[in-house]
Amino acid sequence: MPADTSLLNAVRGNSKSVTICNKSLSTIPPLLCKVVSARQLILKNNKLKELPYELENLKDLQLVNLGNNHFEYLPLVLGCLPHIDTLHIFNNQLKELTGAVIERLVSCRILNANNNNIDQIPPEIRGMKSLQVLCLERNLVTTIPRDILSCLEITELHLGNNRIKELPRELGYLRNLNKLYVYKNEISEIPDEIGHCQSLQVLDVSCNLITMFPEGIYHCALKELHCDENPLLEHLPVLSQNVNDVLYLKELCARMILVSFKDRNSSLRKSATLRPDILNALKDAKKCVVCEQSYLYSWLECVHFVNAKSELKLSNKAGNIPIRACLCSYDCFYSEGHNYFAVSYPS
């Protein structure tokens, strides 16, 4: 059936869905802008570069599929469609996610822009308060902006095959995050704050530059961990020698204050509570995995090796993985009864 005839029937019949695929369209038929009853618009596999402003007449659109076309920028008219729930614009030539458009997609739950030339996630993404699934695989993204942390409903981040070098510590604020795919990037470290993502079930960090995992990974509800093709530390013995601890005065004072906080009647504790700067600094204190005493500025980075499947209760096999652990002193390191090893990097 010719496209115009099909659209005419859609207009007359108050059609809820309009599909025009594989037609090599470079422009939108004018009749399409009159199907005001449409809730789904599927225009994939054509040669479209832009959408007409008249498309704003389709106010009830919830799903728009523009996949596999020739768009270089997000069509501005998309920002005039307040009920878009799902937007597919994969396999195009997008150079950016136009901020003026995405900040108006306040109802959008799913944004799929895989396989484009997008090099950054704009700050305007913070306006997408309903966003749950963001797909930007096979792009040129280099950073994950903190603005994305305003999208508290996010359950899935698909950022594989980009140029990301770092995962922000603030990622832990995404408490609903269920799946994180960052394979084939340039990430060298996973922040310990990943442990705050207690809903995280799938983590794919394959093909990166990761040497060990943070302690926080124990707090995730992981079911799948994919970490092959990383330079993970190996359990190989190397010659070492005893070293005595030499702590700076700043660390000694910090540890003294931290110990005093255990005693509610301590005068040192009472004095410290009157100093907001001290209290703020003490928030970064951590506990030694051997003696459980607190430290602040000085520690010994170690690692222990665990069977990921059994220790993390995974459904897939991930082999033995190194997990970071911090000790407060060489005395703890040389004590008996633990399986923590000092980290040695090849020169």
Side-chain angles (χ1 to χ4, degrees):
M1 182 182 296
D4 284 348
T5 303
S6 176
L7 288 174
L8 186 58
N9 291 336
V11 173
R12 291 173 176 172
N14 294 322
S15 179
K16 301 297 182 184
S17 179
V18 177
T19 300
I20 307 177
C21 302
N22 306 302
K23 300 295 183 181
S24 297
L25 289 180
S26 58
T27 58
I28 295 296
L31 267 177
L32 177 57
C33 302
K34 296 183 180 181
V35 190
V36 296
S37 60
R39 295 187 178 181
Q40 295 188 359
L41 178 59
I42 303 174
L43 300 172
K44 64 181 181 179
N45 303 333
N46 283 293
K47 298 181 180 179
L48 298 171
K49 292 185 177 181
E50 58 184 22
L51 296 179
Y53 282 107
E54 290 78 9
L55 206 64
E56 69 176 342
N57 295 329
L58 280 60
K59 295 293 187 182
D60 292 332
L61 277 180
Q62 296 178 7
L63 182 150
V64 177
N65 191 333
L66 304 174
N68 202 16
N69 275 282
H70 296 168
F71 291 99
E72 293 185 6
Y73 300 95
L74 288 177
L76 293 177
V77 70
L78 293 176
C80 301
L81 302 171
H83 301 300
I84 289 182
D85 172 87
T86 302
L87 173 60
H88 295 292
I89 193 162
F90 54 86
N91 292 351
N92 275 274
Q93 300 164 19
L94 292 182
K95 298 178 180 179
E96 63 178 34
L97 288 176
T98 311
V101 176
I102 66 170
E103 70 180 354
R104 301 183 66 182
L105 298 177
V106 294
S107 299
C108 187
R109 293 186 307 109
I110 301 173
L111 174 57
N112 180 356
N114 287 340
N115 201 20
N116 280 283
N117 298 313
I118 300 166
D119 61 1
Q120 65 174 335
I121 302 173
E124 289 83 357
I125 198 165
R126 60 178 174 264
M128 300 185 70
K129 301 296 186 182
S130 301
L131 187 63
Q132 294 181 11
V133 180
L134 176 62
C135 302
L136 289 174
E137 296 187 345
R138 297 181 298 282
N139 276 282
L140 306 172
V141 177
T142 57
T143 59
I144 302 175
R146 289 175 173 79
D147 304 276
I148 205 172
L149 305 175
S150 297
C151 308
L152 297 178
E153 299 301 316
I154 283 185
T155 59
E156 298 184 24
L157 274 176
H158 298 256
L159 300 171
N161 213 334
N162 277 280
R163 299 177 180 177
I164 299 169
K165 298 181 182 296
E166 181 182 13
L167 294 179
R169 295 174 58 184
E170 292 83 359
L171 204 63
Y173 288 116
L174 299 179
R175 301 298 174 89
N176 294 315
L177 188 62
N178 184 265
K179 298 178 181 179
L180 176 59
Y181 297 91
V182 287
Y183 61 87
K184 289 188 178 179
N185 277 283
E186 302 170 20
I187 300 166
S188 59
E189 184 176 359
I190 301 174
D192 195 57
E193 287 76 9
I194 195 76
H196 298 318
C197 299
Q198 296 184 4
S199 299
L200 189 63
Q201 295 188 7
V202 179
L203 175 61
D204 190 341
V205 292
S206 303
C207 303
N208 276 282
L209 303 173
I210 296 166
T211 57
M212 69 178 82
F213 289 89
E215 293 178 84
I217 200 169
Y218 281 115
H219 303 298
C220 301
L222 285 181
K223 292 184 178 179
E224 292 183 27
L225 173 63
H226 303 279
C227 58
D228 50 304
E229 299 299 323
N230 276 286
L232 295 175
L233 292 176
E234 297 182 3
H235 187 180
L236 299 173
V238 295
L239 184 64
S240 65
Q241 59 182 8
N242 287 9
V243 179
N244 294 322
D245 287 306
V246 178
L247 297 179
Y248 290 101
L249 180 61
K250 188 177 183 180
E251 176 67 13
L252 289 171
C253 292
R255 294 190 183 190
M256 186 181 301
I257 295 173
L258 288 167
V259 170
S260 74
F261 268 53
K262 297 178 181 180
D263 181 4
R264 293 184 177 275
N265 298 317
S266 167
S267 58
L268 187 57
R269 170 179 171 155
K270 293 177 180 178
S271 298
T273 56
L274 300 176
R275 291 283 303 275
D277 56 328
I278 293 179
L279 293 178
N280 188 57
L282 295 179
K283 290 180 181 178
D284 293 327
K286 295 184 179 180
K287 286 187 177 182
C288 173
V289 294
V290 173
C291 70
E292 297 188 350
Q293 294 299 312
S294 298
Y295 61 87
L296 188 57
Y297 302 109
S298 301
W299 64 87
L300 179 63
E301 183 179 60
C302 294
V303 66
H304 64 126
F305 297 86
V306 302
N307 182 293
K309 182 176 176 63
S310 59
E311 284 288 321
L312 301 179
K313 298 179 173 58
L314 304 177
S315 61
N316 70 308
K317 292 183 179 180
N320 288 331
I321 63 170
I323 296 182
R324 186 173 185 260
C326 291
L327 280 62
C328 70
S329 66
Y330 279 99
D331 286 342
C332 285
F333 176 68
Y334 289 116
S335 65
E336 297 181 354
H338 67 75
N339 292 313
Y340 299 105
F341 300 87
V343 177
S344 175
Y345 295 100
S347 57

